[in-house]
Amino acid sequence: MIKALVAATALAVSLPIMAFAECAEVTQGDITLSGAWSRATVGADRPAVFYVTIRNDGSSDDHLTGITTPVAAMPMLHETVIQDGAARMPHADRIVIPAGDTVSLAPGSYHGMLMELSSALDEGSSFPMTLQFEKAGPIEIKTDVLPIRAREAACAAP
Amino acid sequence: MLKNIRIILWVAVAVSLIGMAALLWRQDDPEQTAAFRPHFALPDEAGTIHRTEDFRGKHVLVFFGFTNCPDICPTTMAEVAQVMDDLGPQAEDVQPIFISVDPERDRESGLNAYLAAFHPSILGLAGDAQSTEAAIDSFKVFGDREADASAPGGYTMSHSSSLYLIGPEGDWLGQFTYGTPADDITAELKERL
């Protein structure tokens, strides 16, 4: 009886941890990418989105200057800016990744806008995304396509 | 000493009487009590016109957006979908509405299919330029076309990013600014329902 209780408790504790698998990481030079995700799209006519977490373990700043992917002919970096309650989405051509700091491309902030999709992004699929850094060079990361209703990465940063 | 206390008490009585009078006067003043009742009259994808007054008896969550928007709009619709799920049976008393600020393009690309992917309860409305402008003005919000050579079709939209809550009498009850967690919205709605 007590054994069963202990086992059940252990399972109850570990389930939420198991649900949040560790994010896949890619490291090159001082830059580490993790938790790359996108939302499933309805058709291919509307732009998709790209989110990722970028960590700079170096002692000098680096800059993210562009993104490329085979799934979109026109990927761009944007920043959502909310001023007096109104949202605008200016182009961000050079995003600083400060030394020793982490910058997230995340909802309501910096994000990749993937225009001219070659096909719809299906939930459960993935696609490669290459991020171009001034110092660390190009880094590719596998991007998970989450449900259209996703609000954050399906994994937790280690 | 007793005299002083008496004076203080009389002053307190006088202050409370003045306060009462001020409250009564405020209630009698129509300017103070008139509710803000924003209005729209806009067609859904099938062409049926929906008006604010059609939703009397329900709490209405209104968002102004466009479907080519990759970040704010899907994130907010994802929050709304979560709220509708979390409300359980009480969701029947809440109507989420997405008003397109880019109606021509959104009608062409299929507003219903897009919104249904988030939650079947979300009603999409896309009028003509005039009725859209009227709704934006009435809600005292913002929705404007901005030329952007790098955006699809050569333009993007800047738009108000909050969710607006309209009460069962059509009164404006408040707004949830972008980024308000679904749990907070659900909690406030449950308190009101």
Side-chain angles (χ1 to χ4, degrees):
Chain A
M1 179 61 196
I2 289 177
K3 236 180 187 175
L5 261 178
V6 169
T9 310
L11 186 67
V13 170
S14 63
L15 270 178
I17 298 167
M18 278 151 62
F20 273 90
E22 251 186 29
C23 294
E25 278 195 356
V26 183
T27 301
Q28 180 173 301
D30 292 328
I31 297 291
T32 297
L33 307 179
S34 65
W37 66 284
S38 179
R39 282 196 189 92
T41 63
V42 179
D45 293 338
R46 301 186 186 90
V49 77
F50 170 73
Y51 299 121
V52 70
T53 298
I54 305 164
R55 195 176 76 234
N56 181 357
D57 289 322
S59 53
S60 58
D61 296 353
D62 204 343
H63 291 86
L64 173 62
T65 55
I67 50 174
T68 50
T69 174
V71 301
M74 202 173 151
M76 278 181 98
L77 293 169
H78 281 115
E79 182 181 13
T80 294
V81 178
I82 300 178
Q83 206 170 21
D84 301 329
R88 288 173 56 251
M89 220 175 52
H91 177 51
D93 52 10
R94 200 161 169 269
I95 300 173
V96 63
I97 317 294
D101 215 342
T102 298
V103 172
S104 288
L105 272 59
S109 175
Y110 290 117
H111 57 273
M113 179 169 174
L114 313 183
M115 292 171 279
E116 298 178 27
L117 291 177
S118 50
S119 62
L121 299 182
D122 295 325
E123 180 181 334
S125 67
S126 65
F127 59 87
M129 174 66 76
T130 303
L131 289 80
Q132 185 68 45
F133 293 92
E134 274 178 7
K135 290 201 177 83
I139 311 178
E140 186 182 297
I141 187 164
K142 178 172 156 272
T143 305
D144 295 326
V145 180
L146 302 185
I148 195 168
R149 279 180 53 173
R151 292 175 291 162
E152 57 190 356
C155 58
Chain B
M1 182 62 195
L2 263 177
K3 193 182 167 196
N4 277 345
I5 290 176
R6 201 179 296 148
I7 289 171
I8 289 168
L9 284 173
W10 276 115
V11 168
V13 167
V15 166
S16 59
L17 279 175
I18 291 167
M20 290 264 291
L23 275 174
L24 283 171
W25 177 79
R26 270 174 65 103
Q27 274 170 10
D28 284 344
D29 185 349
E31 285 296 303
Q32 295 282 350
T33 51
F36 173 38
R37 289 186 173 165
H39 188 260
F40 59 74
L42 295 163
D44 60 21
E45 203 173 278
T48 307
I49 304 283
H50 297 266
R51 295 180 169 80
T52 338
E53 52 268 30
D54 299 342
F55 301 97
R56 289 290 143 84
K58 286 194 172 197
H59 281 76
V60 184
L61 279 172
V62 180
F63 182 75
F64 289 84
F66 66 115
T67 71
N68 265 47
C69 150
D71 183 36
I72 290 272
C73 308
T75 304
T76 304
M77 287 303 103
E79 298 283 353
V80 167
Q82 193 60 48
V83 168
M84 294 309 282
D85 279 356
D86 293 346
L87 282 172
Q90 288 178 299
E92 275 181 31
D93 299 322
V94 177
Q95 176 62 59
I97 296 179
F98 180 103
I99 295 179
S100 173
V101 296
D102 186 15
E104 197 179 333
R105 186 159 65 177
D106 281 347
R107 260 198 313 274
E108 278 169 21
S109 59
L111 190 54
N112 284 359
Y114 174 81
L115 293 172
F118 292 95
H119 202 277
S121 67
I122 304 171
L123 175 66
L125 301 178
D128 54 19
Q130 200 183 354
S131 56
T132 302
E133 195 62 36
I136 287 171
D137 285 349
S138 175
F139 273 75
K140 297 180 180 169
V141 295
F142 183 72
D144 212 0
R145 196 167 156 146
E146 273 185 14
D148 182 348
S150 67
Y155 70 94
T156 184
M157 304 296 301
S158 56
H159 60 104
S160 292
S161 57
S162 296
L163 266 173
Y164 305 104
L165 180 61
I166 306 301
E169 307 296 325
D171 299 352
W172 167 285
L173 298 182
Q175 62 175 332
F176 300 104
T177 54
Y178 172 78
T180 304
D183 287 352
D184 293 4
I185 300 173
T186 305
E188 168 142 7
L189 283 171
K190 281 194 164 169
E191 210 163 279
R192 291 178 178 277
L193 290 169

